[in-house]
Amino acid sequence: MFEILEIGRLGPGVNRAVISAPDIARAHRPGQFIILRAHENGERIPLTVADKDVDKGTITLVWQEVGTTTYYLGTMCPGDRLQDLCGPLGKPTHLEKFGTVVGIGGGIGVAPLHPITKGMYDAGNHVISIVGARTEGLLIMTDDMKKISHELLISTDDGSFGIHGFVTQVLQSIIDRGTKIDLCVAIGPVPMMRAVVNVSRAANIPTVVSLNPIMVDGTGMCGACRVEVAGKTMFGCVDGPEFNGFDVDFDLLMKRLAMYKGPELISLNKFRDTERGCKCTIPGGA
Ligand code: FAD
Ligand code: FES
Ligand code: MG
């Protein structure tokens, strides 16, 4: 169980792994995530199920290396096993035929956007996807997104690939050309989701965002993931992770995400000193 079957780089600091988890693959619905522990002394971290293959009994995880656990995961090799994997967790995305749905993914946010976009596509929506990153090397899963989009627009902040600009500017251009948008789904860094909501709110387009608060148990017991939505305290793990973007207190979310920066840095420095440093060759390594 939980054997890593494939692992490789999608770009600098971004990894993709295919993991044996037949029960999770079968039960998973778009929008849901898992919580894993990489080794027996490891902490619990949430990652979205970016893809799955029910016949093969596998799920795909895509993650960005930002700290101790995500760097550790990047040192794992095919044949290694994760200590445990809990899921699927969170409420599935509400999927129906809305009309035209614009999916907006920034950076690593494209991974969680992928299954939701696929669900919207399969539900008969006209899907326009906007995939953005700071620079060309950080663009991920553009081919995967192309397969499940009627229109795919790619942007980079520095203009190194696709449209030069932010995903918000691309969204604004779709609005300006007169396309009637029935729903936006935005996933990415918190400032990006807030910026998207500012554009969509001005155009009165309902907007769903997927929040990434710190999570521990993932079942509504610890309170670590609390977020404020429409003035009410909600738990990201059981009430979300998707919420009405117009109602989210993004400032509070950012503050809570930065709560443990000090200890996280100490932990990362310690990890770097003792890194087990798996030296396996990563296929397609970047
Ligand atoms: P650390 O140095 O420990 O933390 C770096 C930053 O990550 C922290 O400052 C904090 O803001 C955040 N963080 C730390 N611990 C947690 C935690 N337990 N839960 C949530 N955030 C934390 N990232 C991906 O790259 N791909 C995904 O598909 C993905 N899906 C997610 C789905 C959900 C529902 C949530 C809540 C988060 C998701 N994340 C995803 C974010 C991912 O969980 C964090 O990047 C990871 O936990 C960082 O752990 P670390 O030990 O490597 O870094
Ligand atoms: Fe503990 Fe949500 S992660 S309540
Ligand atoms: Mg950590």
Side-chain angles (χ1 to χ4, degrees):
M1 284 272 272
F2 312 145
E3 182 182 345
I4 297 178
L5 303 175
E6 287 172 37
I7 187 161
R9 290 270 199 208
L10 287 185
V14 180
N15 303 289
R16 171 185 175 277
V18 177
I19 293 159
S20 170
D23 293 343
I24 296 177
R26 210 173 307 116
H28 167 266
R29 297 287 170 269
Q32 293 185 299
F33 61 94
I34 54 89
I35 288 192
L36 65 78
R37 275 195 314 151
H39 56 86
E40 64 179 341
N41 298 315
E43 62 176 348
R44 296 164 65 85
I45 68 153
L47 293 177
T48 305
V49 176
D51 208 350
K52 65 174 177 182
D53 187 323
V54 178
D55 295 336
K56 291 185 181 155
T58 60
I59 60 168
T60 300
L61 303 176
V62 175
W63 71 94
Q64 184 163 27
E65 294 170 347
V66 293
T68 307
T69 303
T70 45
Y71 274 106
Y72 179 89
L73 286 171
T75 69
M76 296 184 85
C77 297
D80 286 349
R81 284 171 200 275
L82 296 171
Q83 179 70 23
D84 46 60
L85 201 55
C86 170
L89 298 167
K91 282 190 178 158
T93 307
H94 174 73
L95 295 171
E96 65 170 70
K97 189 167 176 182
F98 293 97
T100 296
V101 176
V102 178
I104 305 146
I108 192 70
V110 181
L113 184 67
H114 178 259
I116 298 171
T117 308
K118 188 168 186 298
M120 291 293 181
Y121 186 91
D122 291 343
N125 290 288
H126 181 79
V127 173
I128 303 174
S129 297
I130 307 173
V131 169
R134 269 189 289 118
T135 190
E136 180 178 6
L138 298 176
L139 285 167
I140 59 164
M141 300 179 73
T142 50
D143 288 345
D144 299 290
M145 292 299 290
K146 198 172 180 180
K147 289 182 198 145
I148 50 172
S149 308
H150 297 93
E151 187 180 359
L152 172 67
L153 298 159
I154 301 173
S155 69
T156 48
D157 300 358
D158 65 1
S160 51
F161 190 88
I163 301 161
H164 187 176
F166 300 121
V167 288
T168 42
Q169 292 168 290
V170 183
L171 173 62
Q172 188 63 58
S173 71
I174 298 171
I175 296 168
D176 291 345
R177 77 186 184 194
T179 301
K180 184 183 169 294
I181 303 170
D182 298 288
L183 181 72
C184 283
V185 182
I187 312 185
V190 179
M192 179 221 112
M193 292 192 284
R194 178 169 42 193
V196 167
V197 165
N198 286 338
V199 172
S200 60
R201 195 200 316 264
N204 210 14
I205 304 165
T207 302
V208 171
V209 291
S210 181
L211 303 185
N212 59 339
I214 292 177
M215 293 188 180
V216 182
D217 69 306
T219 62
M221 309 266 281
C222 70
C225 65
R226 54 186 191 276
V227 289
E228 207 169 293
V229 183
K232 285 197 193 125
T233 297
M234 310 282 259
F235 287 170
C237 66
V238 286
D239 299 319
E242 288 166 27
F243 292 98
N244 179 347
F246 295 175
D247 293 337
V248 172
D249 184 336
F250 289 107
D251 286 336
L252 183 63
L253 176 61
M254 286 218 273
K255 255 190 229 154
R256 289 187 57 80
L257 278 169
M259 270 168 66
Y260 301 106
K261 283 277 181 218
E264 283 159 1
L265 192 60
I266 293 169
S267 165
L268 180 59
N269 287 335
K270 222 160 138 189
F271 169 71
R272 283 190 165 139
D273 289 344
T274 58
E275 195 173 348
R276 70 178 190 143
C278 171
K279 297 288 182 280
C280 73
T281 309
I282 297 174

